[in-house]
Amino acid sequence: MTPELALARLRPLLAAEAAAEAVPGGIDAADLEQGVWLRLLELPEPPADPARWLRSAVRAEARPALRRLRRETHTLPAHAAPTAEQQLIDAEQRRALRAAVARLPGRCPELVSALISRADPTYPEIARELGISQGSLGPLRSRCLGCLRTILNTRVRSSAGTGKAP
């Protein structure tokens, strides 16, 4: 069987993988498919295991698109500039979050800072930066976010009880 015929037979698999990785209102499955076909054309020779390559290529194509989508959904459209009041509220929330992160125990301040960084590092990058295994990041993240939640909830309750703004 020619490589072209083998790849043509993968079309349904590509469509299914792209549909599984697509996000409604965000990443279009057709865009993922097109990106994967372009990746395939850039290869010097056909992959040894086309189905396996295709699955990993779809995921690799979706990752940056998902990051972009997350960043875009957290920003205001260019035409809707925040009001001065909203800017003040946002600045106060960022200050409160930074103060709460600084109060975290152990390695939590470093980890949470990396997680909320604008650079949007991957788990392997964070693990390398902190000098810990990638497998321990999930449990550590869970503990750190639990501590952060407790600190922020305590702050909100104590401010609400004194009549002061949080």
Side-chain angles (χ1 to χ4, degrees):
M1 177 179 348
T2 66
E4 293 81 19
L5 183 58
L7 293 173
R9 287 188 171 175
L10 292 175
R11 220 175 275 265
L13 176 61
L14 175 57
E17 289 289 329
E21 292 291 329
V23 176
I27 302 173
D28 185 38
D31 290 343
L32 287 175
E33 287 184 51
Q34 183 178 19
V36 171
W37 286 123
L38 288 173
R39 280 178 182 251
L40 183 63
L41 289 173
E42 292 171 347
L43 291 177
E45 58 186 49
D49 185 354
R52 184 177 185 169
W53 178 89
L54 188 132
R55 286 184 185 98
S56 67
V58 169
R59 287 183 192 87
E61 195 69 29
R63 250 183 257 116
L66 283 170
R67 283 193 188 128
R68 214 173 20 258
L69 179 63
R70 274 186 292 187
R71 279 193 301 268
E72 290 170 0
T73 57
H74 294 308
T75 59
L76 293 171
H79 66 277
T83 64
E85 180 183 15
Q86 187 59 50
Q87 288 176 342
L88 184 63
I89 291 169
D90 291 347
E92 173 58 23
Q93 287 176 339
R94 284 189 302 274
R95 188 203 61 73
L97 180 61
R98 282 192 305 271
V101 168
R103 291 178 50 201
L104 289 170
R107 301 188 109 173
C108 289
E110 294 171 291
L111 175 60
V112 174
S113 294
L115 291 172
I116 62 176
S117 165
R118 289 185 185 267
D120 194 26
T122 63
Y123 262 33
E125 292 168 343
I126 294 171
R128 215 175 13 260
E129 182 181 316
L130 297 179
I132 59 177
S133 72
Q134 186 178 341
S136 61
L137 272 181
L140 179 60
R141 185 191 114 224
S142 181
R143 286 191 301 274
C144 293
L145 292 178
C147 289
L148 182 61
R149 191 175 303 111
T150 301
I151 290 170
L152 291 172
N153 285 339
T154 302
R155 180 179 179 273
V156 169
R157 275 195 297 274
S158 66
S159 297
T162 61
K164 296 180 184 175

